[in-house]
Amino acid sequence: MDDLHSRKTLPRLDESLLTHLPPFSKLDKRQIRTILDQATSRRYDAGIAIFEEGHDADRFYMLLDGYVRVVRITPTGEQVTALHIPAGQLLGIARAIGRDTYPATAMTATESIALSWPTRLWDSFVQGYDGFATVTYKTLGHRVGEMNTRIVELATQQVEQRVANALLRLINQTGRKVEGGIEIDFPITRQDLSELTATTLHTVSRLLSGWEKQGIVESKRKRIKVCDPHALVIISQV
Amino acid sequence: MDDLHSRKTLPRLDESLLTHLPPFSKLDKRQIRTILDQATSRRYDAGIAIFEEGHDADRFYMLLDGYVRVVRITPTGEQVTALHIPAGQLLGIARAIGRDTYPATAMTATESIALSWPTRLWDSFVQGYDGFATVTYKTLGHRVGEMNTRIVELATQQVEQRVANALLRLINQTGRKVEGGIEIDFPITRQDLSELTATTLHTVSRLLSGWEKQGIVESKRKRIKVCDPHALVIISQV
DNA sequence: TCGTGAGTTTGCGCCAGAGCAAATTCACGA
DNA sequence: TCGTGAATTTGCTCTGGCGCAAACTCACGA
């Protein structure tokens, strides 16, 4: 078992880990091999910070499994979730936008597994591997788009619409079809959802209760199943 | 006089236009010359869209003079200002983040002048000119940071704090020292400020009135002078 | 099996700030 | 110089959703 502070290079990472992931999918076997040999693999428990805001951006990551929230912590200690990152995406790529510290903290939402590389290799990845730059800048573009959307939502929408939107986004990103609906396939508390929508856990709880009575969602502890996504779409647009 | 739709290449753009601007400052005279010869120069009246959200990102821009707001327009027609861009910065660099349409609309806040180039030249700029990529990605990083900050502000601060912050940011970016304080050196309405802080013009007006009574600001139509920045800092932190 | 604490639900009161309405002031062009 | 419309100010009302408090419920470990 890994303990929290161990970080070990596994004897031999399987090449199939990367071959189907967009930033690497164009590369040949030898290149993948080199990349894997330089990588460090680590498992993270749920609720652990992979890296923290303000720290030296000394590594960049590829999330292989799990789910990560990118959060900022205000001077008064409140957490605000800026975005969610699913498995298969790059993470901590501060270097791509010319920063040498991480602009936010990355917390695991579930147990997760990530590869990482020292940031000094970044330039060689960008220059040496065909398609790598293109794909990472597309990722970046996608995230900028998401942040933009979040700003507009916060600026113009009511709490009810924001929560509905957040749920829709979550089931799109990580929904798992189960009987009777689509479930968010990692544990998520009312608190988490409130940090994602800039409201309080009380208000989220009230909204979910209301929706449950209308048959739109079903929820247990840390589990939310959306039964009627269309109804949420209606709500989210008012 | 240019009319709104003319876009003319001036006979000879002066090289000093670019030599002191970061993305170009490392280049030699010949390179600058080439870049200028490929550029189109245009003047924009205040309140004009330089490019619009969703349109083909067919050109990228360098703002030489003036001031631009990057805004998004919601389905219901409200405008939300995502960020402000001062003279000397690149604009419309969707291509840098792998997008082929503009993710937002750029509106002039004052009369402005910008150079622009066809997007198909982007890659050659990035690859051909030393330091260009680094600087533009730094710009991008800066903007991502600003957006992050804005998300946190919207999520956690009261209206009064947001307006105070917005004013502070504006005088930092474009403040002009005048007797008795620092003035924002372009015309800005209460409405503009409300779109920047996600509130209503009425609330902004009330806040400014209050601050004026306390001697913190002075304001005429479309003009705001901050007399006591420190007081605003206090307010912004509550 | 039974605590125990984390997560959730619900009620109640309150207030920041939006919405609406109207008066007022200023800048600019004729 | 005056008229006109845009920008601003201000008063009043109303409400979404926050803060506080308390009860409840489940999952897990001893």
Side-chain angles (χ1 to χ4, degrees), chain A residues 120-141:
Chain A
R120 67 182 150 74
L121 295 180
W122 177 261
D123 288 345
S124 70
F125 273 47
V126 167
Q127 284 154 27
Y129 301 123
D130 187 39
F132 182 84
T134 307
V135 173
T136 62
Y137 287 119
K138 253 185 198 150
T139 303
L140 207 55

Side-chain angles (χ1 to χ4, degrees), chain B residues 134-205:
Chain B
T134 307
V135 174
T136 62
Y137 286 120
K138 252 186 199 150
T139 305
L140 208 55
H142 190 249
R143 294 199 192 153
V144 169
E146 265 190 64
M147 287 171 64
N148 245 316
T149 305
R150 230 154 122 36
I151 289 176
V152 172
E153 276 187 20
L154 287 172
T156 62
Q157 298 188 330
Q158 307 275 89
V159 168
E160 186 173 29
Q161 300 170 54
R162 296 207 301 268
V163 175
N165 268 316
L167 277 183
L168 287 171
R169 234 175 296 126
L170 286 171
I171 63 173
N172 271 335
Q173 280 181 13
T174 66
R176 193 164 45 88
K177 268 204 193 93
V178 293
E179 60 111 350
I182 305 174
E183 195 177 65
I184 296 170
D185 87 337
F186 65 91
I188 184 168
T189 65
R190 309 287 184 267
Q191 174 77 35
D192 291 336
L193 210 43
S194 74
E195 283 168 7
L196 195 55
T197 51
T199 177
T200 61
L201 78 161
H202 307 279
T203 300
V204 170
S205 177

Side-chain angles (χ1 to χ4, degrees), chain A residues 4-62:
Chain A
L4 289 187
H5 299 290
S6 80
R7 171 185 279 164
K8 61 177 176 182
T9 305
L10 298 180
R12 189 146 190 92
L13 292 166
D14 194 80
E15 288 159 23
S16 64
L17 281 177
L18 295 186
T19 44
H20 64 290
L21 295 177
F24 304 107
S25 50
K26 280 186 178 174
L27 308 181
D28 63 38
K29 221 171 166 183
R30 197 182 44 75
Q31 290 176 313
I32 297 271
R33 192 66 257 157
T34 308
I35 289 173
L36 280 175
D37 287 345
Q38 290 169 321
T40 298
S41 168
R42 185 180 157 191
R43 193 191 62 80
Y44 302 84
D45 283 323
I48 297 291
I50 296 180
F51 54 79
E52 285 184 56
E53 179 175 348
H55 288 195
D56 248 33
D58 56 345
R59 301 189 76 79
F60 62 97
Y61 300 78
M62 163 57 75

